[in-house]
Structures are given as structure tokens and as C-alpha cells.
Amino acid sequence: MPDISTKYMGLNLKNPLVVSSSSLTQKLEGVKKCADAGAGAVVLKSLFEEQIEAETKVIEDGSDMLVHPEAIDYVRQMGMRIGPNEYIDLIEGAKKEVDIPIIASLNCITDRWWLDYAKEIERAGADAVELNIAIMPRSRGVTPGDIEKRYIRIVHNIRSSIELPIAVKIGPYFTVLPDIAGRLREAGADAIVLFNRFYQLDIDIENLKLKPGYRFSNPQEIYTPLRWMALLYDKVGCDLAASTGVHDGAGVIKMILAGADAVQVCSTLYLNGLEQISVMLEELGRWMDKRGFSSLSDFRGAMSKAESSQPEYYERLQYIKALVGIE
Ligand SMILES: Cc1cc2nc3c(=O)[nH]c(=O)nc-3n(C[C@H](O)[C@H](O)[C@H](O)COP(=O)(O)O)c2cc1C
């Protein structure tokens, strides 16, 4: 078996497969199952900013005393300590029970909540933090620059409060991804995760109600993160992890060829069970053996734009029959 270990944000992973943040990693039992199934690391389910806001709101709404904004701030801070204690327990439990890196995940919309809490995560023994930043651009008066500044501020502030490695998980909806990726790196990101796949909204046409869309990705969704992995490899100055659409060993191989330091998986584990981790790793090992690769660094980024003799091919957006054979 070739050496499939990798380094991700300075962490030593025995293999590049990371179970991404989801209900699979919400409880200690789930984390243990992922470790037993052979994962290289896990990202815990995100702790959501709204969870904390919701808890503090109950206290605010129920008390006449708390009309003063400073008092509300105080209660909010208390709320931060009360609410997410279970999350700290999860980190501590996971560190005791499994021997793979544990990456905590914070969902950030503002930069208000997390500074003290990030320190607690560090104290609890997490190996790294992933910031799941997602801001819905819903108002006309807010510019892309305003929203991007918020991303940068969140990363910068958390960076200045902890020493832990920080990954930033973003969605694909930026006008100039290389620019925001570079600025996230400058703000202190040790890795960028390409990409989150957000909750999907659907409409029930019988009952005229909103309903959740299908939760899981399909293998064709690999194309967007694959292209961006290949474009950003060696250009950002930090590690890159893949997420979305990796369902099998071939997907893992493609992502590493494009430049991934680690490959996160989620939907395929829901659909095929945690055994899929070893199926994917075996496929990776067999492929490496066949090609004579003894470690991941033998081929990481080999199909990236940086290593290509035809870099323009990675930027092609339109179908042109003469070039791609189909219209
Ligand atoms: C049920 C479910 C829950 C998820 N919860 C989170 C979460 O709390 N935080 C997060 O960053 N991503 C969350 N995700 C997104 C996944 O981590 C992953 O980025 C996404 O599903 C794309 O990867 P995949 O194609 O391997 O599924 C969730 C996905 C699913 C299906």
C-alpha cells in the first residue's frame, strides 16, 4: 500500500479523507464511528450563531430588567457560555476517544460572538477550527465589497484571538474567487475549503409551501470545486481542501491531482454508509500503485493550472464546437 498520509494546516492526517461538518459528526458516537471507519480527520457539526442568539433572546424577552443595551450584551456573553457547553464536551470527549485530528466548526455571520468562545475551543483541545462563513446578500444597498469585508473581519478577529490552525469554508458565489481567497489567507486562514454546499430551497406546488430541497450532492457537482481547486492550487499561499461532489475514489484522485491537501466527504457517506471511506481509500491506493506513485505529493497538483502547458483551458467558460467537440 502506498503512503497516503497528508499534512493539512500543519496537522498530520493518516489519509486525505476528512468527514465534513454534518450530522454525522454532531455526537461523540458519530465521531467515533467515522474514526473507526478510517477517516483521516473529522470536522464537527457547526455550532451556529443563531443557536446562541436564540438562547440569549429567551433571556432578553423574559426580563424587564434587561432593557439597557449593555445589559443585553452582558446576557449575550453569558449565553455564549451557557449554550455551547455541550459543544465543548463534544470536543473534549472526541479528543479522549479517538486519535485522529478533531476540527471544530463555527458558523459565522457576524464577528461579534466567537472571540471568547474560540479560545474555549482551543482550551478544550480541538486541533483546528473551521469557520463556516455564509452571508446571504439580500439587500440592494449592500455591495460585494461590504460583504467581503465582513468575511475578512471575521477571520482577522478570530485569528488574533487563537493560535489554532484556521480553515475557512466558503461557498462558490464570489465574483473574483482568487482575490477573496488571497485576502482570507492574508487575514490569517491556514486553509480554504472549496466549497460549502448550502441548504437548498424548494416549493411544494400542491400545498403552496416552501420545503427543503434534496439534501445531498450528486457526483456531477464535483466540477465547480474541481475547476477552482485546479485554478487556485499554488496561488493562494495556504492549504486547500475540497468539498462538494466527491462520491468515490476517482473523485478523491481528481481533487488531489487538481491540488487538494485534503478531501472532505459527506453526501456519499449518507448515501453509501461509512464503509465508503475504505472503498475510496482502496481505490486511491490501487490507482497510485498502478501509476507507480508512492506518496500523494508525487501527483498533488499535477493537473492544476499552475502545472499545465495549456493554462487557458482551465478558464474556458463557453462551449465552442471546434475546441470541445460538442455544442
Ligand atoms: C445533513 C447535512 C448537514 C450539514 N451541516 C453542515 C454544517 O453544520 N456545517 C457545514 O459547514 N456544512 C454542513 N453541511 C455541508 C457539508 O459539510 C458539505 O460541505 C456539503 O454537503 C458538500 O459536500 P458533499 O458533496 O460531500 O456532501 C451539511 C450537509 C448535509 C448534507
Side-chain angles (χ1 to χ4, degrees):
M1 181 78 174
D3 176 10
I4 55 170
S5 66
T6 188
K7 246 190 154 68
Y8 176 49
M9 300 192 274
L11 306 174
N12 293 314
L13 272 54
K14 63 183 176 184
N15 69 64
L17 277 195
V18 176
V19 179
S20 67
S21 180
S22 64
S23 319
L24 295 169
T25 58
Q26 190 166 20
K27 301 226 164 87
L28 185 54
E29 211 43 49
V31 173
K32 282 202 265 185
K33 282 186 188 159
C34 294
D36 290 346
V42 297
V43 185
L44 300 177
K45 172 79 182 162
S46 299
L47 186 61
F48 284 85
E49 210 167 286
E50 289 100 323
Q51 270 171 277
I52 285 169
E53 291 220 60
E55 283 182 41
T56 53
K57 217 165 168 20
V58 173
I59 307 173
E60 285 165 31
D61 292 349
S63 172
D64 292 331
M65 222 172 60
L66 298 172
V67 284
H68 197 281
E70 277 176 34
I72 290 176
D73 274 346
Y74 176 66
V75 170
R76 280 192 165 142
Q77 279 167 22
M78 284 188 24
M80 286 199 58
R81 291 182 190 285
I82 301 161
N85 279 351
E86 285 164 19
Y87 203 71
I88 296 293
D89 291 345
L90 174 62
I91 296 168
E92 287 175 347
K95 284 306 295 175
K96 258 190 227 127
E97 300 275 341
V98 305
D99 59 0
I100 56 173
I102 300 294
I103 303 171
S105 168
L106 298 177
N107 161 255
C108 309
I109 308 165
T110 69
D111 60 350
R112 283 180 303 171
W113 299 104
W114 297 119
L115 302 185
D116 288 342
Y117 194 69
K119 286 192 189 122
E120 288 187 29
I121 283 180
E122 190 165 44
R123 270 197 293 274
D127 295 284
V129 178
E130 186 175 278
L131 305 179
N132 155 16
I133 313 181
I135 300 168
M136 183 72 178
R138 58 177 173 224
S139 311
R140 170 117 198 245
V142 178
T143 67
D146 296 334
I147 291 188
E148 289 180 7
K149 273 192 208 134
R150 216 149 105 196
Y151 275 76
I152 302 301
R153 217 167 41 233
I154 291 169
V155 176
H156 180 267
N157 288 351
I158 295 188
R159 172 75 293 158
S160 41
S161 75
I162 55 169
E163 304 279 320
L164 286 182
I166 297 177
V168 182
K169 187 179 187 185
I170 57 174
Y173 309 112
F174 288 91
T175 307
V176 188
L177 261 164
D179 183 66
I180 184 76
R183 285 192 292 136
L184 289 170
R185 162 73 198 120
E186 284 158 20
D190 299 286
I192 299 180
V193 184
L194 309 169
F195 294 110
N196 206 342
R197 179 178 186 276
F198 299 120
Y199 169 81
Q200 313 270 326
L201 187 66
D202 198 1
I203 293 176
D204 174 344
I205 59 170
E206 295 308 322
N207 299 302
L208 299 187
K209 282 189 175 154
L210 295 180
K211 62 175 187 177
Y214 185 61
R215 292 193 291 169
F216 303 128
S217 68
N218 66 54
Q220 284 72 40
E221 290 179 51
I222 198 174
Y223 300 131
T224 297
L226 186 65
R227 179 196 287 239
W228 281 109
M229 185 62 71
L231 278 165
L232 294 183
Y233 171 74
D234 216 20
K235 299 275 188 260
V236 187
C238 67
D239 287 353
L240 298 173
S243 176
T244 297
V246 177
H247 280 242
D248 51 20
V252 178
I253 294 164
K254 287 178 196 181
M255 281 299 187
I256 298 172
L257 281 167
D261 295 283
V263 180
Q264 299 196 1
V265 283
C266 175
S267 293
T268 191
L269 305 182
Y270 278 100
L271 297 169
N272 300 306
L274 292 175
E275 312 83 78
Q276 184 69 0
I277 293 175
S278 49
V279 173
M280 292 164 106
L281 291 176
E282 276 159 27
E283 196 176 337
L284 169 65
R286 274 199 309 275
W287 180 85
M288 287 173 68
D289 271 342
K290 200 169 86 190
R291 298 255 153 191
F293 294 134
S294 55
S295 74
L296 300 185
S297 55
D298 288 351
F299 65 99
R300 176 175 290 119
M303 295 298 293
S304 66
K305 182 185 170 199
E307 297 292 324
S308 175
S309 56
Q310 290 178 299
E312 66 284 357
Y313 202 81
Y314 292 78
E315 289 155 21
R316 182 169 313 293
L317 290 174
Q318 307 292 347
Y319 291 98
I320 301 172
K321 192 168 186 208
L323 293 168
V324 292
I326 46 171
E327 209 148 29

